Amino acid sequence: MSEGYKRRTVDPYIDEYIESMGALLIEGPKWCGKTRTAEEFVNSALYIKGKNQIASLKLAIANDIMDSLDGDTPRLIDEWQKVPEIWDAVRFEVDHRRKRGQFILTGSSTPPKGSVAHSGAGRIARITMRPMSLFESEESNGKISLNDLFNGKHEIGYSSQLKVDGLARALTRGGWPESIGDHPDRASRIAQQYVKAIVNSDLSDDENDVKRNPIYVRRLIESISRNISTAASKETIRKEINSADGTMSDVTLTSYIRALEKVFMIENLPAWNPHMRSRSRLVKTPKWHFVDPSIATAALRVSYDALLNDYDAFGLFFESLCIRDLRVYSQPLDGSVSYIGDNNGKEIDIIVELPGGKWGAIEVKLGDNRADEGAKNLLRLRDNVDEEYMKQPSFLMVLTGGQLAYKRPDGVLVVPIGCLRD
């Protein structure tokens, strides 16, 4: 790796797919480091930018002129979705060359519906990349591995150097590589510019090419930010958007939400549906989350010192940060992240599930003083598991913004987010 490059959790994935597949797509939000990471693995590159270049590439591909794909391999095709025809051209070249590790594509949005003829299955692998976790930004010391916890290594006794004020700064700054190490007064500007870029860009409907109203886009982002880490209904979101004299319909709201999902801005947390002994009905509504919690604080213009004066809001944003990090840490394990709640209002903040039925349950508590409450909820969940249909949890964890990691007498782990890694 080149000097100054901070290793990413997806790096081993890239190595693996270069050796086993013809091409690889790295997709994720703008500015999360896709291009910079891809550059560590390629020997030539095509950067797609500018209307004239895009028009020329489309014309060349339409006439079966593929010289834009020529170059030392692996060859980077950056922001491929600007010329969707490249996808099928890459697939053809992979089939024709019959070699592995030919291309790495990066993309910060999904292409218009119907613009790609072939899925790429068997030729083009996919990796989702997110903003940096606290371990990747070197703010978590990584003393406790999620993988180790799933393998039964629960004897922990470490401490984190990440204090609450540093956590607030990291949260409002976000995991955007360009902001890591920046002065605290400037650190949140990348997140603010990211929101502005999304609001002012043309989020077009795939089928009708309808441009989105920037005012409604901003109101939607602000409403989701106010409802972060909750399962607020779409109707709640729509009413908040319309409260300022708007007339957005449910159909229009859904199209706006899908547009934000297609640029990898929204990444909601699905509900888990396990086998339980309890007769309470489990909720199915996902919780609202962005790909990075700094999007919410930037949209609401919440500074890190404001968080320190409002621990209720801090707690909701902190939960979103923990979900971002656990999504990153569970990725090498092929894991999924969700939550569980019932109609009586009882819930567990995070469930990490691995292939084969392994799972771990996590309650998020900003302060160590609420560890007892979190442990009580986790133990109740464990006792309600129907062992005839599913395994007992690999671990129960209270994930905190504190500094001490330890195992409680009841077996519940208390882990600072500043100690966790993949």
Side-chain angles (χ1 to χ4, degrees), residues 230-232 268-271 284-288 339:
T230 76
N268 287 340
L269 187 69
K284 298 180 180 180
T285 307
K287 286 187 174 183
W288 294 101
Y339 84 101

Side-chain angles (χ1 to χ4, degrees), residues 116-303:
V116 173
H118 193 283
S119 68
R123 286 89 160 180
I124 307 174
R126 292 173 179 261
I127 292 177
T128 298
M129 192 170 184
R130 299 176 175 87
M132 284 182 160
S133 65
L134 292 177
F135 180 67
E136 290 171 309
S137 63
E138 301 178 356
E139 289 159 294
S140 168
N141 57 35
K143 295 291 186 180
I144 300 173
S145 162
L146 185 65
N147 186 37
D148 285 348
L149 296 181
F150 272 110
N151 288 321
K153 298 178 182 179
H154 296 169
E155 299 306 319
I156 58 176
Y158 305 103
S159 62
S160 166
Q161 301 304 311
L162 184 60
K163 298 180 180 179
V164 173
D165 59 340
L167 188 60
R169 287 187 175 92
L171 193 159
T172 53
R173 179 208 65 215
W176 314 103
E178 288 297 318
S179 68
I180 304 301
D182 204 352
H183 188 279
D185 292 339
R186 299 190 301 268
S188 62
R189 290 181 183 175
I190 294 292
Q192 293 167 1
Q193 291 301 314
Y194 176 83
V195 172
K196 287 181 180 179
I198 296 297
V199 168
N200 295 320
S201 67
D202 294 337
L203 298 177
S204 297
D205 181 277
D206 292 344
E207 297 177 354
N208 302 312
D209 196 31
V210 176
K211 293 184 178 180
R212 311 295 175 181
N213 185 328
I215 295 175
Y216 282 147
V217 175
R218 176 167 284 281
R219 287 180 187 170
L220 172 57
I221 294 171
E222 290 173 348
S223 180
I224 294 173
S225 300
R226 286 189 292 269
N227 291 281
I228 202 79
S229 301
T230 76
S233 67
K234 283 187 180 180
E235 182 61 18
T236 296
I237 301 296
R238 191 175 71 85
K239 286 180 178 179
E240 288 190 6
I241 294 171
N242 285 338
S243 65
D245 75 11
T247 56
M248 177 180 279
S249 69
D250 181 63
V251 172
T252 302
L253 172 61
T254 298
S255 72
Y256 273 59
I257 291 171
R258 286 176 178 170
L260 293 181
E261 288 173 340
K262 288 179 180 180
V263 295
F264 305 100
M265 185 183 203
I266 294 176
E267 190 172 16
N268 287 340
L269 187 69
W272 194 47
N273 190 26
H275 292 279
M276 307 297 289
R277 294 196 186 99
S278 172
R279 295 183 179 179
S280 299
R281 189 175 71 254
L282 297 177
V283 299
K284 298 180 180 180
T285 307
K287 286 187 174 183
W288 294 101
H289 286 281
F290 294 113
V291 73
D292 192 279
S294 65
I295 296 172
T297 55
L300 298 179
R301 300 167 182 82
V302 176
S303 63

